[in-house]
Structures are given as C-alpha cells and as structure tokens.
Amino acid sequence: MPELPEVETIKNELLPHIVGRQVNGVTLFWEGIVRQPSVEEFCPCLIGQRLTGLARRGKYLLFSLTSGEVLIIHLKMTGSLLLKPASTEADKFVRAILHLDNGTEIHFRDPRKLGVMWLVKDVDSVVGKLGPEPLEAEFTPQLLAKRLANRTAPVKALLSDQTFIAGIGNMYADEALFAAGVHPLRPGGSLSSEEVEHLHRAIQQVLWSAIGNKGASVDTYFRPDGTLCTAHFQFQVAHRLSGKFCPVCGTPIERIPIRNRGTYFCPHCQPET
Ligand SMILES: [Zn+2]
C-alpha cells in the first residue's frame, strides 16, 4: 500500500506538470471510485476547473481547484496515478482519467478497485481526524511521548493508526520499530523516554530515506512516470519472507499478525521486555 513516502513522491512528481492546468474532461471506467458527491455531479463540477495546487495530508492527495473546492484522492492498497500523453490507451486496471488542457492525462490505475476520490469544499470532512504529520516541525519527541502515554495498544498498531499519526502504514511502522529497537507488541505507554526519542528519530529517518528513494514499489505501486521506486531495497525487516535473516545480528526475522497485518521484526534486536 502506498504510504507517506509514496504519496509524497507522487505529489512532488505530479506537481510541476499539473499546476495551472485546466481539467477538460473526466472519463470514469469504474463509478465506485467516486465517493462524494454523486457521479452525476462529480464530472460536471470538475470539468472546466483549473488545478491551483497539490498537497499531501497523511496518505491523501489534495488537488486544490479554482472554485475553492478540493479534489481528494486516496490510493488505498493498489492505486497509482500515472501521467500519460493524451489519448494513451488505458490498460484494464485504469478506473478514471483526468484529461488536462496541455495534452496530458492523469490515469488513476487501481487493480483492486479500492481507491477513492472526493470533491469537497470542506477538506476536514475527509481528513479532519488525522493525527500529526510525522515530518512536520510540530511532531516532536515530546508530542510522541504525550500521544503514547497510557496507551495499552501495541505500539505497532498505534503507529499504523492514521488518527494517532498520519501517513505511516504497515511497511514503515515495521521499519521504524526495527530502527528504534522496539518490539512491535510493546504497549505504547510502556516505552521509556529514551525509547520514545529513538522511535521519533527512527520514524523521521525511515520516512526521509524512503522519500529519497522515491518510495517503495511493493504490490502494484508506480511513480507517475510509470517507473518503479527503490525504497523497498533498503528495507531491513518489512516484507521479509520467512527464512530471511536480520541484517544486523543474523537472527531469523519473525512474522506475527498484529490487528490482522503481518508484522516483521527481529526478536534479538527488538526484545519484548
Ligand atoms: Zn537483529
């Protein structure tokens, strides 16, 4: 699933090509991709508007429009946004196309049909409940400590909870916990202040490093130009198949389910107590 580094990469790479462009048309191959408003309203509301900006909040992309409305896209498990020359034949997994006025198109490709688009005036109606952005100045070790305090849920579950902290999912939660030497099942409130500081630093390092590698191409994720990303080559534990060994100590990586998500960790470098 695209997480913060992948969505940030899409934002950075689409931005110079789309700002100031007018949406000349919308093609929907799968109407279920439109969450709000109705499909009948969505296309006419979008057509004729200019894209005035593109931002990211958590795993959401926010395209601002001349009307003051915002087109919000969530790629969910398997979505990608591909920038193509006009009249490129859409492959069978493309669910929607935005036709721009400069001879390009944005193809919303999504094999599992889980991705969503909203066209809203009030952005907070979609993203208002998200937790802090982990790469913003407001996200300090003190803030992380405050949010972890008294929490009994496993720290892995908290890190991938979008209302706890925005943008981190299964992959980068595993990577950050490994880098911090924290066992994923530790209750959030049990971390010492030193461990919280390590975790804070690990979260930022893991995310910045992945952004530097333009995200990770796990499953079906592509950059807007259709190329793959390379962050997954740097993964220490995430998505390691059974039989792989910890790159630090050589212990076999373990996989356990936490809230139904496969969680990878090193039992030696991330002790449970
Ligand atoms: Zn290890």
Side-chain angles (χ1 to χ4, degrees), residues 178 237 245-253 265-270:
F178 176 77
V237 290
F245 300 94
C246 171
V248 173
C249 72
T251 303
I253 297 294
F265 69 102
C266 169
H268 180 258
C269 295
Q270 296 165 266

Side-chain angles (χ1 to χ4, degrees), residues 170-265:
N170 208 36
M171 297 185 291
Y172 295 103
D174 283 357
E175 287 297 294
L177 289 167
F178 176 77
V182 173
H183 193 287
L185 281 174
R186 292 272 305 279
S190 75
L191 272 62
S192 68
S193 51
E194 195 184 8
E195 286 173 320
V196 173
E197 276 189 34
H198 287 164
L199 181 58
H200 176 269
R201 197 177 317 133
I203 288 169
Q204 294 197 327
Q205 277 174 353
V206 159
L207 294 175
W208 279 124
S209 161
I211 291 170
N213 287 301
K214 314 298 180 192
S217 285
V218 179
D219 300 326
T220 54
Y221 173 74
F222 298 96
R223 289 163 66 181
D225 65 0
T227 59
L228 298 172
C229 326
T230 57
H232 52 297
F233 296 129
Q234 315 297 326
F235 283 171
Q236 304 291 296
V237 290
H239 290 282
R240 293 247 156 181
L241 300 172
S242 56
K244 295 275 185 177
F245 300 94
C246 171
V248 173
C249 72
T251 303
I253 297 294
E254 285 188 15
R255 181 185 188 278
I256 52 170
I258 298 181
R259 306 263 163 98
N260 292 325
R261 302 300 306 273
T263 295
Y264 299 83
F265 69 102

